[in-house]
Amino acid sequence: MDFPKLKSIIEGLLFLSGEEGLSVKQIAEIVDQRVELVTDAIEEMIGEFARQGRGVQIMKLAGVVQLGTLPEHAAYFEKLAYSPARTSLSQAALETLAIVAYRQPITRVEIEEIRGVKSERAIHTLVNKDLIVEVGRAEAIGRPILYGTTKSFLDYFGLASIKDLPEPGLFEDSENLEEETQLLFNKLDMQQPGTGNTDVQSAFEFEEETVNPEQDIVLDPEDDLPGSSS
């Protein structure tokens, strides 16, 4: 194996290992090379990363090698960590999240009754992003899943508890759903330290919506058509 290829493989291994990192011995076993050769490759990579001004560095901590960010960039990483903008949500997902926040615990069918469209994909998106979670089963036929918000949801918006949500009682029906959703996330955005009065569309990236001219309604890509089977 040539040296450039070895360094490339090591970089990929360190990326995949994340915060856990890998020992030099582990890397050597994976690439089937001598420990001394791997050590030389890592030392050369440390120097190259520094000379090239890369956004990450190779660190050796507590017997393991791992990729890490640069301390001088910490302020930018903090902005990413505490800003809702890092979560890309469609209008469908935002509406669903708002409904769950105010009406939890709530089933998918109840969400769909409020929104007027199927919401299975929006729910799936929110579960994957750790914003909502299964909190139990309803005492009804089929024992449908009940959903509620997570600690990550509270952390994203700087809320101590769900009681800190503004204007309880919203999202009882779908008549003003889009307007109420925007109002909610505007207020949550303003509660973020240092964000100021920012419109919700600047705090979230919205996915493109498609208009059905025959029905004169907006169909979101994350939803099935109204009344379609789940």
Side-chain angles (χ1 to χ4, degrees):
M1 182 184 300
D2 61 66
F3 212 54
K5 182 177 180 181
L6 174 60
K7 292 189 292 184
S8 178
I9 293 172
I10 292 174
E11 184 175 351
L13 290 172
L14 294 178
F15 174 79
L16 289 175
S17 66
E19 294 181 355
E20 294 184 4
L22 295 167
S23 69
V24 174
K25 183 179 180 181
Q26 286 176 309
I27 296 172
E29 291 175 351
I30 293 170
V31 299
D32 195 23
Q33 299 292 328
R34 294 180 293 108
V35 169
E36 294 79 10
L37 183 62
V38 171
T39 300
D40 290 343
I42 291 171
E43 291 298 330
E44 186 169 309
M45 291 169 68
I46 291 174
E48 288 175 348
F49 276 42
R51 289 192 301 273
Q52 294 169 4
R54 301 276 289 273
V56 293
Q57 61 179 329
I58 295 178
M59 305 182 298
K60 294 189 289 185
L61 300 170
V64 300
V65 184
Q66 65 186 79
L67 289 176
T69 56
L70 304 180
E72 56 265 35
H73 297 166
Y76 301 100
F77 305 142
E78 289 175 0
K79 287 183 180 180
L80 174 64
Y82 296 106
S83 170
R86 70 193 185 281
T87 306
S88 177
L89 297 176
S90 69
Q91 179 66 30
L94 283 174
E95 290 177 2
T96 302
L97 178 58
I99 293 168
V100 173
Y102 277 97
R103 299 289 302 279
Q104 61 187 305
I106 188 171
T107 66
R108 176 174 62 85
V109 172
E110 290 171 327
I111 294 169
E112 292 171 348
E113 287 177 352
I114 296 173
R115 292 196 62 227
V117 293
K118 294 292 183 180
S119 301
E120 187 172 0
R121 293 183 185 178
I123 291 172
H124 181 71
T125 295
L126 296 172
V127 170
N128 284 343
K129 291 182 180 293
D130 193 32
L131 292 172
I132 66 172
V133 69
E134 179 180 339
V135 295
R137 296 274 177 167
E139 295 293 337
I141 297 175
R143 301 275 292 168
I145 296 172
L146 290 167
Y147 293 98
T149 51
T150 64
K151 183 179 182 299
S152 293
F153 169 80
L154 298 177
D155 292 342
Y156 281 2
F157 298 107
L159 302 173
S161 74
I162 205 69
K163 295 178 182 179
D164 294 331
L165 281 169
E167 298 191 27
L170 294 177
F171 308 102
E172 295 294 331
D173 56 59
S174 59
E175 184 176 351
N176 299 309
L177 189 56
E178 184 173 351
E179 179 182 344
E180 291 178 347
T181 299
Q182 181 164 332
L183 176 63
L184 168 64
F185 287 100
N186 273 337
K187 293 195 173 188
L188 288 176
D189 186 49
M190 287 188 289
Q191 290 178 191
Q192 295 297 304
T195 58
N197 187 2
T198 305
D199 186 82
V200 67
Q201 297 231 2
S202 66
F204 289 91
E205 298 174 11
F206 288 93
E207 296 179 0
E208 183 180 357
E209 295 178 332
T210 304
V211 176
N212 184 332
E214 294 182 359
Q215 296 184 5
D216 195 28
I217 61 174
V218 174
L219 305 178
D220 192 281
E222 287 195 348
D223 290 324
D224 298 323
L225 293 176
S228 61
S229 59
S230 56

